[in-house]
Amino acid sequence: ERQLGRPLRRPVCISGDITDEDLGLSADDRAWIERSCTTMLHCAASLTFHEYQGEPWRTNVGGTQHVLRLCEQADIAEMHYISTAYVCGHRHDEVMEDELDVGQEFRNDYEKSKFQAETLVRACPAFQSLTVYRPVVITGDGVTGYTSTYHGTYLYMKLAAILKQNVEPNEEGK
């Protein structure tokens, strides 16, 4: 605002549940979205590696289908989708950012479910503009360090902390 010299629009947060067919949104919320929104940022996901109580399929594939349906109904033409670098599956060759389905195999249900979700997003005819982000690992807040889950990188950091406490350093202090 200081740089532009004018106030910016404030975000509006609407609570819902992407696993619900109607996203858990009220009729008023849906109407507001249809009137007010032109862009979707979809970053909700289950990080469950192996199927448990329907996850990660319920959230990553089913939830994405529900989000896409809302986009189509609300004429949302721009999508920013947070996928994962792991949609490349188990490969040993060079992976290009514009590749998705090259017949790869997957190590776990998370990778396969995110692959299927990204396939759905890319096939959705509603979008005039689509940006897919494929981060490798998402960690906590850059300032506070807060994270809501301890998957991926955090498991290795926890192991390193335990080893440091329980292993005597060598002569060089390592």
Side-chain angles (χ1 to χ4, degrees):
E1 288 178 325
R2 275 180 271 170
Q3 289 173 330
L4 296 174
R6 62 179 168 84
L8 298 175
R9 294 176 69 184
R10 296 293 184 247
V12 174
C13 296
I14 299 173
S15 295
D17 182 343
I18 67 167
T19 64
D20 287 345
E21 190 169 322
D22 64 356
L23 299 172
L25 301 174
S26 69
D28 288 344
D29 288 342
R30 292 180 74 83
W32 185 89
I33 290 168
E34 289 178 18
R35 282 190 319 272
S36 308
C37 297
T38 59
T39 303
M40 172 66 73
L41 167 62
H42 175 31
C43 60
S46 169
L47 302 178
T48 303
F49 283 172
H50 302 286
E51 186 169 357
Y52 178 73
Q53 296 181 343
E55 292 298 350
W57 308 102
R58 186 172 65 109
T59 297
N60 297 350
V61 177
T64 297
Q65 288 171 322
H66 299 152
V67 169
L68 295 176
R69 191 172 307 118
L70 173 67
C71 290
E72 290 173 339
Q73 292 169 348
D75 290 326
I76 294 175
E78 182 179 354
M79 167 66 91
H80 294 267
Y81 176 67
I82 310 299
S83 184
T84 177
Y86 296 102
V87 296
C88 70
H90 189 66
R91 292 176 59 185
H92 299 286
D93 57 329
E94 186 175 32
V95 177
M96 304 305 290
E97 64 186 28
D98 62 344
E99 293 178 331
L100 181 59
D101 190 353
V102 296
Q104 66 269 41
E105 294 182 12
F106 299 97
R107 289 173 275 241
N108 56 57
D109 294 326
Y110 169 74
E111 291 178 357
K112 190 168 186 176
S113 70
K114 290 294 285 182
F115 166 84
Q116 289 178 0
E118 186 176 325
T119 300
L120 292 170
V121 169
R122 288 181 177 275
C124 184
F127 305 123
Q128 294 173 9
S129 175
L130 170 63
T131 305
V132 176
Y133 305 88
R134 290 185 179 163
V136 177
V137 176
I138 299 173
T139 58
D141 181 279
V143 175
T144 67
Y146 173 79
T147 184
S148 60
T149 60
Y150 289 89
H151 294 287
T153 298
Y154 290 103
L155 295 176
Y156 297 106
M157 287 191 263
K158 185 175 181 180
L159 174 62
I162 291 170
L163 289 173
K164 181 179 180 274
Q165 291 173 347
N166 295 303
V167 176
E168 290 294 322
N170 64 15
E171 309 80 45
E172 299 169 8
K174 297 182 182 177

PDB file of all heavy atoms in Angstrom, residues 97-119:
ATOM      1  N   GLU A  97       9.530 -29.584 -16.535  1.00  0.00           N
ATOM      2  CA  GLU A  97       8.409 -29.012 -15.794  1.00  0.00           C
ATOM      3  C   GLU A  97       7.089 -29.091 -16.541  1.00  0.00           C
ATOM      4  O   GLU A  97       6.029 -29.052 -15.923  1.00  0.00           O
ATOM      5  CB  GLU A  97       8.702 -27.569 -15.397  1.00  0.00           C
ATOM      6  CG  GLU A  97       8.863 -26.640 -16.559  1.00  0.00           C
ATOM      7  CD  GLU A  97       9.289 -25.248 -16.120  1.00  0.00           C
ATOM      8  OE1 GLU A  97       9.939 -25.109 -15.076  1.00  0.00           O
ATOM      9  OE2 GLU A  97       8.965 -24.299 -16.844  1.00  0.00           O
ATOM     10  N   ASP A  98       7.127 -29.211 -17.862  1.00  0.00           N
ATOM     11  CA  ASP A  98       5.877 -29.295 -18.615  1.00  0.00           C
ATOM     12  C   ASP A  98       5.415 -30.735 -18.819  1.00  0.00           C
ATOM     13  O   ASP A  98       4.380 -30.980 -19.431  1.00  0.00           O
ATOM     14  CB  ASP A  98       5.995 -28.566 -19.957  1.00  0.00           C
ATOM     15  CG  ASP A  98       7.062 -29.166 -20.859  1.00  0.00           C
ATOM     16  OD1 ASP A  98       7.918 -29.928 -20.367  1.00  0.00           O
ATOM     17  OD2 ASP A  98       7.041 -28.863 -22.075  1.00  0.00           O
ATOM     18  N   GLU A  99       6.163 -31.695 -18.303  1.00  0.00           N
ATOM     19  CA  GLU A  99       5.768 -33.103 -18.400  1.00  0.00           C
ATOM     20  C   GLU A  99       4.860 -33.477 -17.233  1.00  0.00           C
ATOM     21  O   GLU A  99       5.017 -32.964 -16.132  1.00  0.00           O
ATOM     22  CB  GLU A  99       6.999 -34.017 -18.316  1.00  0.00           C
ATOM     23  CG  GLU A  99       7.940 -33.911 -19.466  1.00  0.00           C
ATOM     24  CD  GLU A  99       9.144 -34.816 -19.279  1.00  0.00           C
ATOM     25  OE1 GLU A  99       9.557 -35.091 -18.129  1.00  0.00           O
ATOM     26  OE2 GLU A  99       9.689 -35.229 -20.291  1.00  0.00           O
ATOM     27  N   LEU A 100       3.957 -34.381 -17.496  1.00  0.00           N
ATOM     28  CA  LEU A 100       3.181 -34.944 -16.398  1.00  0.00           C
ATOM     29  C   LEU A 100       3.108 -36.456 -16.560  1.00  0.00           C
ATOM     30  O   LEU A 100       3.754 -37.191 -15.835  1.00  0.00           O
ATOM     31  CB  LEU A 100       1.781 -34.329 -16.313  1.00  0.00           C
ATOM     32  CG  LEU A 100       0.923 -34.852 -15.175  1.00  0.00           C
ATOM     33  CD1 LEU A 100       1.597 -34.612 -13.814  1.00  0.00           C
ATOM     34  CD2 LEU A 100      -0.451 -34.223 -15.195  1.00  0.00           C
ATOM     35  N   ASP A 101       2.369 -36.930 -17.531  1.00  0.00           N
ATOM     36  CA  ASP A 101       2.181 -38.366 -17.695  1.00  0.00           C
ATOM     37  C   ASP A 101       3.160 -38.916 -18.720  1.00  0.00           C
ATOM     38  O   ASP A 101       3.028 -38.688 -19.916  1.00  0.00           O
ATOM     39  CB  ASP A 101       0.745 -38.650 -18.137  1.00  0.00           C
ATOM     40  CG  ASP A 101       0.415 -40.136 -18.102  1.00  0.00           C
ATOM     41  OD1 ASP A 101       1.329 -40.961 -17.869  1.00  0.00           O
ATOM     42  OD2 ASP A 101      -0.759 -40.480 -18.307  1.00  0.00           O
ATOM     43  N   VAL A 102       4.168 -39.621 -18.231  1.00  0.00           N
ATOM     44  CA  VAL A 102       5.129 -40.288 -19.102  1.00  0.00           C
ATOM     45  C   VAL A 102       5.161 -41.789 -18.791  1.00  0.00           C
ATOM     46  O   VAL A 102       6.145 -42.458 -19.072  1.00  0.00           O
ATOM     47  CB  VAL A 102       6.541 -39.661 -18.984  1.00  0.00           C
ATOM     48  CG1 VAL A 102       6.546 -38.224 -19.470  1.00  0.00           C
ATOM     49  CG2 VAL A 102       7.056 -39.746 -17.557  1.00  0.00           C
ATOM     50  N   GLY A 103       4.075 -42.274 -18.184  1.00  0.00           N
ATOM     51  CA  GLY A 103       3.994 -43.690 -17.843  1.00  0.00           C
ATOM     52  C   GLY A 103       4.770 -44.069 -16.591  1.00  0.00           C
ATOM     53  O   GLY A 103       5.056 -45.242 -16.357  1.00  0.00           O
ATOM     54  N   GLN A 104       5.100 -43.094 -15.761  1.00  0.00           N
ATOM     55  CA  GLN A 104       5.906 -43.337 -14.577  1.00  0.00           C
ATOM     56  C   GLN A 104       5.152 -44.172 -13.530  1.00  0.00           C
ATOM     57  O   GLN A 104       3.934 -44.195 -13.498  1.00  0.00           O
ATOM     58  CB  GLN A 104       6.375 -42.014 -13.946  1.00  0.00           C
ATOM     59  CG  GLN A 104       5.268 -41.157 -13.366  1.00  0.00           C
ATOM     60  CD  GLN A 104       4.699 -40.163 -14.352  1.00  0.00           C
ATOM     61  OE1 GLN A 104       4.499 -40.479 -15.501  1.00  0.00           O
ATOM     62  NE2 GLN A 104       4.410 -38.950 -13.881  1.00  0.00           N
ATOM     63  N   GLU A 105       5.921 -44.846 -12.688  1.00  0.00           N
ATOM     64  CA  GLU A 105       5.368 -45.561 -11.536  1.00  0.00           C
ATOM     65  C   GLU A 105       5.525 -44.658 -10.324  1.00  0.00           C
ATOM     66  O   GLU A 105       6.336 -43.733 -10.313  1.00  0.00           O
ATOM     67  CB  GLU A 105       6.108 -46.878 -11.329  1.00  0.00           C
ATOM     68  CG  GLU A 105       5.882 -47.853 -12.466  1.00  0.00           C
ATOM     69  CD  GLU A 105       6.581 -49.188 -12.232  1.00  0.00           C
ATOM     70  OE1 GLU A 105       7.054 -49.442 -11.109  1.00  0.00           O
ATOM     71  OE2 GLU A 105       6.647 -49.964 -13.189  1.00  0.00           O
ATOM     72  N   PHE A 106       4.737 -44.943  -9.288  1.00  0.00           N
ATOM     73  CA  PHE A 106       4.748 -44.111  -8.090  1.00  0.00           C
ATOM     74  C   PHE A 106       5.158 -44.928  -6.886  1.00  0.00           C
ATOM     75  O   PHE A 106       4.892 -46.117  -6.789  1.00  0.00           O
ATOM     76  CB  PHE A 106       3.364 -43.479  -7.891  1.00  0.00           C
ATOM     77  CG  PHE A 106       2.965 -42.602  -9.031  1.00  0.00           C
ATOM     78  CD1 PHE A 106       2.158 -43.080 -10.043  1.00  0.00           C
ATOM     79  CD2 PHE A 106       3.442 -41.304  -9.115  1.00  0.00           C
ATOM     80  CE1 PHE A 106       1.823 -42.280 -11.122  1.00  0.00           C
ATOM     81  CE2 PHE A 106       3.115 -40.495 -10.178  1.00  0.00           C
ATOM     82  CZ  PHE A 106       2.303 -40.990 -11.191  1.00  0.00           C
ATOM     83  N   ARG A 107       5.813 -44.247  -5.931  1.00  0.00           N
ATOM     84  CA  ARG A 107       6.286 -44.912  -4.719  1.00  0.00           C
ATOM     85  C   ARG A 107       5.202 -45.046  -3.663  1.00  0.00           C
ATOM     86  O   ARG A 107       5.298 -45.895  -2.790  1.00  0.00           O
ATOM     87  CB  ARG A 107       7.467 -44.130  -4.134  1.00  0.00           C
ATOM     88  CG  ARG A 107       8.727 -44.242  -4.948  1.00  0.00           C
ATOM     89  CD  ARG A 107       9.789 -43.306  -4.389  1.00  0.00           C
ATOM     90  NE  ARG A 107       9.576 -42.008  -4.973  1.00  0.00           N
ATOM     91  CZ  ARG A 107      10.454 -41.382  -5.729  1.00  0.00           C
ATOM     92  NH1 ARG A 107      11.626 -41.907  -5.949  1.00  0.00           N
ATOM     93  NH2 ARG A 107      10.176 -40.216  -6.253  1.00  0.00           N
ATOM     94  N   ASN A 108       4.182 -44.174  -3.727  1.00  0.00           N
ATOM     95  CA  ASN A 108       3.156 -44.215  -2.680  1.00  0.00           C
ATOM     96  C   ASN A 108       1.859 -43.587  -3.185  1.00  0.00           C
ATOM     97  O   ASN A 108       1.814 -43.017  -4.276  1.00  0.00           O
ATOM     98  CB  ASN A 108       3.661 -43.517  -1.404  1.00  0.00           C
ATOM     99  CG  ASN A 108       4.102 -42.098  -1.670  1.00  0.00           C
ATOM    100  OD1 ASN A 108       3.333 -41.279  -2.169  1.00  0.00           O
ATOM    101  ND2 ASN A 108       5.360 -41.797  -1.350  1.00  0.00           N
ATOM    102  N   ASP A 109       0.817 -43.697  -2.382  1.00  0.00           N
ATOM    103  CA  ASP A 109      -0.501 -43.188  -2.755  1.00  0.00           C
ATOM    104  C   ASP A 109      -0.529 -41.667  -2.839  1.00  0.00           C
ATOM    105  O   ASP A 109      -1.279 -41.109  -3.645  1.00  0.00           O
ATOM    106  CB  ASP A 109      -1.560 -43.676  -1.757  1.00  0.00           C
ATOM    107  CG  ASP A 109      -1.749 -45.180  -1.825  1.00  0.00           C
ATOM    108  OD1 ASP A 109      -1.632 -45.748  -2.925  1.00  0.00           O
ATOM    109  OD2 ASP A 109      -2.017 -45.787  -0.776  1.00  0.00           O
ATOM    110  N   TYR A 110       0.263 -40.985  -2.026  1.00  0.00           N
ATOM    111  CA  TYR A 110       0.321 -39.524  -2.089  1.00  0.00           C
ATOM    112  C   TYR A 110       0.747 -39.075  -3.489  1.00  0.00           C
ATOM    113  O   TYR A 110       0.090 -38.244  -4.116  1.00  0.00           O
ATOM    114  CB  TYR A 110       1.277 -38.969  -1.031  1.00  0.00           C
ATOM    115  CG  TYR A 110       1.585 -37.498  -1.222  1.00  0.00           C
ATOM    116  CD1 TYR A 110       0.637 -36.529  -0.906  1.00  0.00           C
ATOM    117  CD2 TYR A 110       2.797 -37.088  -1.750  1.00  0.00           C
ATOM    118  CE1 TYR A 110       0.907 -35.176  -1.103  1.00  0.00           C
ATOM    119  CE2 TYR A 110       3.078 -35.749  -1.947  1.00  0.00           C
ATOM    120  CZ  TYR A 110       2.125 -34.795  -1.626  1.00  0.00           C
ATOM    121  OH  TYR A 110       2.383 -33.469  -1.832  1.00  0.00           O
ATOM    122  N   GLU A 111       1.871 -39.611  -3.973  1.00  0.00           N
ATOM    123  CA  GLU A 111       2.363 -39.227  -5.289  1.00  0.00           C
ATOM    124  C   GLU A 111       1.318 -39.496  -6.367  1.00  0.00           C
ATOM    125  O   GLU A 111       1.061 -38.641  -7.222  1.00  0.00           O
ATOM    126  CB  GLU A 111       3.643 -39.999  -5.627  1.00  0.00           C
ATOM    127  CG  GLU A 111       4.837 -39.618  -4.797  1.00  0.00           C
ATOM    128  CD  GLU A 111       6.068 -40.435  -5.137  1.00  0.00           C
ATOM    129  OE1 GLU A 111       6.015 -41.351  -5.978  1.00  0.00           O
ATOM    130  OE2 GLU A 111       7.122 -40.139  -4.540  1.00  0.00           O
ATOM    131  N   LYS A 112       0.716 -40.672  -6.327  1.00  0.00           N
ATOM    132  CA  LYS A 112      -0.260 -41.040  -7.357  1.00  0.00           C
ATOM    133  C   LYS A 112      -1.509 -40.168  -7.271  1.00  0.00           C
ATOM    134  O   LYS A 112      -2.053 -39.745  -8.292  1.00  0.00           O
ATOM    135  CB  LYS A 112      -0.630 -42.512  -7.234  1.00  0.00           C
ATOM    136  CG  LYS A 112      -1.430 -43.009  -8.407  1.00  0.00           C
ATOM    137  CD  LYS A 112      -1.551 -44.525  -8.415  1.00  0.00           C
ATOM    138  CE  LYS A 112      -2.228 -44.971  -9.696  1.00  0.00           C
ATOM    139  NZ  LYS A 112      -2.277 -46.408  -9.805  1.00  0.00           N
ATOM    140  N   SER A 113      -1.966 -39.860  -6.054  1.00  0.00           N
ATOM    141  CA  SER A 113      -3.166 -39.036  -5.911  1.00  0.00           C
ATOM    142  C   SER A 113      -2.910 -37.601  -6.382  1.00  0.00           C
ATOM    143  O   SER A 113      -3.768 -36.984  -7.010  1.00  0.00           O
ATOM    144  CB  SER A 113      -3.677 -39.044  -4.465  1.00  0.00           C
ATOM    145  OG  SER A 113      -2.805 -38.343  -3.599  1.00  0.00           O
ATOM    146  N   LYS A 114      -1.736 -37.059  -6.111  1.00  0.00           N
ATOM    147  CA  LYS A 114      -1.415 -35.714  -6.574  1.00  0.00           C
ATOM    148  C   LYS A 114      -1.240 -35.690  -8.103  1.00  0.00           C
ATOM    149  O   LYS A 114      -1.613 -34.722  -8.762  1.00  0.00           O
ATOM    150  CB  LYS A 114      -0.159 -35.175  -5.879  1.00  0.00           C
ATOM    151  CG  LYS A 114      -0.364 -34.857  -4.402  1.00  0.00           C
ATOM    152  CD  LYS A 114      -1.341 -33.711  -4.189  1.00  0.00           C
ATOM    153  CE  LYS A 114      -0.720 -32.379  -4.509  1.00  0.00           C
ATOM    154  NZ  LYS A 114      -1.612 -31.231  -4.275  1.00  0.00           N
ATOM    155  N   PHE A 115      -0.698 -36.760  -8.671  1.00  0.00           N
ATOM    156  CA  PHE A 115      -0.617 -36.893 -10.121  1.00  0.00           C
ATOM    157  C   PHE A 115      -2.021 -36.871 -10.729  1.00  0.00           C
ATOM    158  O   PHE A 115      -2.284 -36.153 -11.693  1.00  0.00           O
ATOM    159  CB  PHE A 115       0.114 -38.191 -10.468  1.00  0.00           C
ATOM    160  CG  PHE A 115      -0.029 -38.614 -11.901  1.00  0.00           C
ATOM    161  CD1 PHE A 115       0.802 -38.091 -12.877  1.00  0.00           C
ATOM    162  CD2 PHE A 115      -0.987 -39.534 -12.273  1.00  0.00           C
ATOM    163  CE1 PHE A 115       0.678 -38.481 -14.205  1.00  0.00           C
ATOM    164  CE2 PHE A 115      -1.121 -39.932 -13.594  1.00  0.00           C
ATOM    165  CZ  PHE A 115      -0.290 -39.405 -14.563  1.00  0.00           C
ATOM    166  N   GLN A 116      -2.924 -37.650 -10.150  1.00  0.00           N
ATOM    167  CA  GLN A 116      -4.293 -37.697 -10.672  1.00  0.00           C
ATOM    168  C   GLN A 116      -4.980 -36.337 -10.524  1.00  0.00           C
ATOM    169  O   GLN A 116      -5.694 -35.893 -11.428  1.00  0.00           O
ATOM    170  CB  GLN A 116      -5.100 -38.791  -9.974  1.00  0.00           C
ATOM    171  CG  GLN A 116      -4.667 -40.172 -10.387  1.00  0.00           C
ATOM    172  CD  GLN A 116      -5.435 -41.267  -9.671  1.00  0.00           C
ATOM    173  OE1 GLN A 116      -6.313 -41.024  -8.850  1.00  0.00           O
ATOM    174  NE2 GLN A 116      -5.085 -42.506  -9.973  1.00  0.00           N
ATOM    175  N   ALA A 117      -4.750 -35.663  -9.406  1.00  0.00           N
ATOM    176  CA  ALA A 117      -5.355 -34.349  -9.197  1.00  0.00           C
ATOM    177  C   ALA A 117      -4.816 -33.336 -10.207  1.00  0.00           C
ATOM    178  O   ALA A 117      -5.579 -32.559 -10.793  1.00  0.00           O
ATOM    179  CB  ALA A 117      -5.102 -33.871  -7.773  1.00  0.00           C
ATOM    180  N   GLU A 118      -3.502 -33.327 -10.425  1.00  0.00           N
ATOM    181  CA  GLU A 118      -2.936 -32.390 -11.401  1.00  0.00           C
ATOM    182  C   GLU A 118      -3.452 -32.693 -12.806  1.00  0.00           C
ATOM    183  O   GLU A 118      -3.704 -31.770 -13.595  1.00  0.00           O
ATOM    184  CB  GLU A 118      -1.406 -32.421 -11.384  1.00  0.00           C
ATOM    185  CG  GLU A 118      -0.816 -31.361 -12.290  1.00  0.00           C
ATOM    186  CD  GLU A 118       0.699 -31.265 -12.258  1.00  0.00           C
ATOM    187  OE1 GLU A 118       1.306 -31.472 -11.186  1.00  0.00           O
ATOM    188  OE2 GLU A 118       1.275 -30.962 -13.332  1.00  0.00           O
ATOM    189  N   THR A 119      -3.650 -33.966 -13.123  1.00  0.00           N
ATOM    190  CA  THR A 119      -4.222 -34.348 -14.413  1.00  0.00           C
ATOM    191  C   THR A 119      -5.612 -33.731 -14.574  1.00  0.00           C
ATOM    192  O   THR A 119      -5.945 -33.186 -15.638  1.00  0.00           O
ATOM    193  CB  THR A 119      -4.291 -35.880 -14.547  1.00  0.00           C
ATOM    194  OG1 THR A 119      -2.961 -36.411 -14.444  1.00  0.00           O
ATOM    195  CG2 THR A 119      -4.893 -36.305 -15.869  1.00  0.00           C
TER     196      THR A 119
END
